[in-house]
Amino acid sequence: MTMTTKATSSSRSTPFQISHLVTYGLEITERDPNTREITSVRCKFCIFSGREEKLGHKRMRRQTTVLMTWKPPYRAEKYRNHHEAQHMAAWTAYKALTIVEQQVYFDDKMHYKNTLHHAFGPIQTPLIFKVDALIVESIIGNLFFHPDDHGGISQTNALKLFKLNIGNSYTVTLMNPLQFRLAVDQIAIGLSFQQVVAVLISLKHHTGLILFQFIKLINRSSSSWLC
């Protein structure tokens, strides 16, 4: 047996890393009946979020609903490449969560095939805002959070939404315009941040709409002042 053959055999026998189930949003689909070794895993984002339209591309055919699966050899870059190509918005939101939040992220989600998005197609035209640095750093970064939370995980994750530009400004890209507009409308009619969060969580539960960091920002900032 050549060294190349040995290397290939070794890579195929590498066991699946259980931690990747949470890290990359996967579920086990098959095990070897004798050894109980994991022989197949699949993408939970395909199951619960569906595949996203690529920004800037007009699709001529309906997006595929085939669930992505992987078999040995298991490589983390394969999961990342798939998520970045097919689930960019959901994957970006998922990575910003804590490990505890990731562990329950899919618990209350309905299968994508049962959602309105599956029937009518997702809206994936993002909203991009340029925001003055003073607003981000002083108002959002400071006033939105209790002083005890400054420098903490909640504030850090919220500020990850904003990308610093040259010229003392930030850019924020909202991947779910519908959810953003719903939140703004509800705040405009007098709902509190906590009430907006409750309404959108209920909407997500019944329609399958994804909960993005914009709602996390409202929830965490308002909760920090209520404590």
Side-chain angles (χ1 to χ4, degrees), residues 112-124:
Y112 177 69
K113 65 181 181 180
N114 297 326
T115 66
L116 294 177
H117 280 173
H118 179 258
F120 300 105
I123 300 173
Q124 288 298 332

Side-chain angles (χ1 to χ4, degrees), residues 78-147:
K78 290 184 177 181
Y79 314 139
R80 289 194 295 267
N81 290 342
H82 169 74
H83 293 344
E84 290 169 1
Q86 302 295 334
H87 311 290
M88 174 56 75
W91 174 235
T92 300
Y94 187 79
K95 288 190 297 181
L97 302 177
T98 65
I99 184 66
V100 174
E101 291 172 324
Q102 289 177 348
Q103 289 172 341
V104 299
Y105 180 80
F106 297 99
D107 287 357
D108 62 347
K109 292 185 179 296
M110 67 172 63
H111 282 223
Y112 177 69
K113 65 181 181 180
N114 297 326
T115 66
L116 294 177
H117 280 173
H118 179 258
F120 300 105
I123 300 173
Q124 288 298 332
T125 303
L127 293 176
I128 301 175
F129 295 100
K130 186 176 181 180
V131 187
D132 187 270
L134 185 63
I135 295 175
V136 175
E137 295 167 2
S138 297
I139 298 178
I140 298 176
N142 292 325
L143 296 182
F144 264 37
F145 292 88
H146 192 281

Side-chain angles (χ1 to χ4, degrees), residues 180-212:
F180 171 74
R181 293 189 178 102
L182 286 172
V184 171
D185 287 348
Q186 291 164 15
I187 291 172
I189 63 176
L191 271 65
S192 68
F193 284 172
Q194 288 290 337
Q195 289 172 327
V196 170
V197 171
V199 169
L200 291 180
I201 287 177
S202 175
L203 180 63
K204 176 180 75 77
H205 176 73
H206 291 291
T207 66
L209 293 175
I210 299 171
L211 188 66
F212 280 98

